[in-house]
């Protein structure tokens, strides 16, 4: 037996979205497809659901029909002859009336190149299947040709080099599948740590000289979480930077841990800096990057200073039931 849930249907006008799609050189994108999708984002992930689409005419015009009211993303992609792939995405709130005059102008995607090293010069483990990822800061308004770049995009080669293609707009870098026992210490380019701040890539630019630094000796923050009677507590411990400027979506510095049966918790491979540690019964993932939520924890949080070569003192926390 299949049970189909009931969905409340809200009446709304159905209309069309029309406009013009052009390349960065001003040529009509004749034959290209303009896609209409709905984007849902959350901490560490995003999902896109296609809603409709339309072909671009010889003069660059397009019309998407039978569109219901809602929040959408318009996207068009094209492979420029002899040049880089181009594309554009733009968010759109559609109220239900026919909407015309939408102008889509593509931009060429760029690339990021560099190499992965250890902080001590020690060779990295052989056979590690690491990959460098470039994630747009705002996936709703940033085009990414993720489905057409192939499995090798961003893969770290045997000599430690990597190339991430298809990069456009403000982008954060991260590394997947780190070798066991290793942590990400920094991603350095032009004196900045790209592990914590985005880099804006425009105009098909290729950025060379990025250095990803891994370490086996980054400090561990550990402690205990007990209840008011002194017994181990089942809650969530949140570690986040003391500096509000570093509270952001996808930030690697904000982390959560759950204690074991003895009440012990730990955060391995912690980047040196000043942190706040707070205990709660439960933390939703969407609260990690909420400045108002994090600021509200200050009064009950414990400050921890993390530096290289010196393990921080153990943190003793008491869980207060809400």
């Amino acid at each position: 037996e299949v049970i189909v849930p009931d969905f409340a249907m809200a009446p709304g006008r159905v209309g069309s979205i029309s406009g013009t799609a052009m390349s960065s050189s001003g040529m009509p994108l004749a034959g290209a497809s303009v896609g209409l999708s709905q984007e849902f984002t959350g901490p560490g992930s995003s999902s896109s659901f296609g809603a409709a689409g339309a072909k671009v005419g010889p003069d660059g015009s397009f019309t998407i029909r039978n569109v219901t009211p809602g929040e959408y993303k318009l996207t068009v992609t094209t492979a420029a002859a002899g040049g880089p792939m181009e594309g554009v995405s733009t968010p759109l709130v559609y109220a239900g009336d026919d909407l015309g005059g939408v102008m889509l102008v593509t931009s060429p995607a760029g690339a990021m190149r560099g190499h992965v090293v250890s902080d001590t010069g020690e060779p990295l483990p052989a056979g590690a299947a690491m990959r460098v990822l470039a994630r747009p800061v705002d996936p709703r308004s940033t085009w990414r040709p993720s489905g057409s770049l192939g499995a090798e995009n961003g893969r770290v080669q045997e000599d430690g080099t990597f190339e991430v293609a298809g990069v456009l707009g403000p982008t954060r870098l991260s590394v997947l599948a780190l070798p066991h026992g290793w942590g990400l210490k920094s991603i350095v380019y032009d004196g900045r740590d790209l592990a914590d701040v985005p880099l804006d890539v425009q105009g098909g630019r290729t950025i060379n000289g990025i250095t990803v630094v891994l370490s086996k000796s980054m400090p561990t923050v550990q402690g205990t979480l007990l209840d008011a009677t002194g017994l181990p507590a089942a809650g969530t411990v949140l570690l986040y930077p003391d500096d509000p400027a570093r509270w952001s979506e996808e930030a690697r510095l904000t982390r959560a841990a759950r204690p074991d049966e003895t009440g012990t918790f730990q955060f391995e491979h912690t980047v040196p800096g000043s942190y706040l540690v707070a205990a709660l019964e439960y933390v939703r993932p969407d609260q990690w990057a909420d400045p108002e939520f994090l600021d509200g924890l200050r009064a009950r949080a414990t400050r921890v200073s993390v530096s290289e070569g010196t393990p921080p003192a153990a943190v003793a926390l008491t869980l207060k039931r809400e």
Side-chain angles (χ1 to χ4, degrees), residues 110-114 132-134 154 162-167 169 171-173 194 198-201 205-210:
M112 293 179 166
R113 296 172 180 166
V132 178
L133 297 181
F162 66 87
E163 177 176 353
V164 186
V167 183
T171 301
R172 291 186 186 276
L173 289 177
L194 301 185
L199 185 66
D200 194 4
V201 182
R205 178 186 177 197
T206 295
I207 296 175
N208 295 294
I210 297 172

Side-chain angles (χ1 to χ4, degrees), residues 200-282:
D200 194 4
V201 182
Q202 299 289 346
R205 178 186 177 197
T206 295
I207 296 175
N208 295 294
I210 297 172
T211 302
V212 177
V213 182
L214 306 185
S215 175
K216 291 195 301 184
S217 58
M218 295 167 68
T220 295
V221 175
Q222 59 184 355
T224 56
L225 179 61
L226 307 176
D227 62 20
T229 66
L231 296 176
T236 298
V237 179
L238 193 64
L239 174 80
Y240 63 101
D242 193 6
D243 181 3
R246 308 181 87 175
W247 302 345
S248 62
E249 186 85 9
E250 307 294 342
R252 62 170 178 155
L253 303 179
T254 300
R255 302 161 64 186
R258 293 187 62 83
D260 61 19
E261 65 275 5
T262 69
T264 301
F265 64 86
Q266 63 179 13
F267 297 94
E268 296 181 333
H269 308 303
T270 306
V271 177
S274 181
Y275 293 87
L276 297 173
V277 186
L280 304 97
E281 291 187 74
Y282 176 73

Side-chain angles (χ1 to χ4, degrees), residues 122-210:
E122 173 186 352
L124 297 175
M130 287 184 288
R131 182 187 299 273
V132 178
L133 297 181
R135 188 187 299 271
V137 171
D138 184 2
R140 297 170 300 174
S141 60
T142 304
W143 167 71
R144 284 292 313 279
S146 56
S148 57
L149 295 173
E152 290 301 308
N153 190 48
R155 187 180 297 277
V156 179
Q157 305 301 316
E158 290 289 332
D159 61 358
T161 61
F162 66 87
E163 177 176 353
V164 186
V167 183
L168 180 64
T171 301
R172 291 186 186 276
L173 289 177
S174 60
V175 183
L176 278 185
L178 290 172
H180 179 70
W182 293 77
L184 175 61
K185 186 173 184 178
S186 61
I187 303 177
V188 180
Y189 172 73
D190 195 25
R192 291 198 299 163
D193 190 348
L194 301 185
D196 298 321
V197 297
L199 185 66
D200 194 4
V201 182
Q202 299 289 346
R205 178 186 177 197
T206 295
I207 296 175
N208 295 294
I210 297 172

Side-chain angles (χ1 to χ4, degrees), residues 37 42 84-85 94 105 119 125 130 133 241 249 296 305 321:
S37 62
M85 181 177 291
Y94 180 65
V105 179
D119 58 345
M130 287 184 288
L133 297 181
E249 186 85 9
S305 180
R321 303 293 178 182

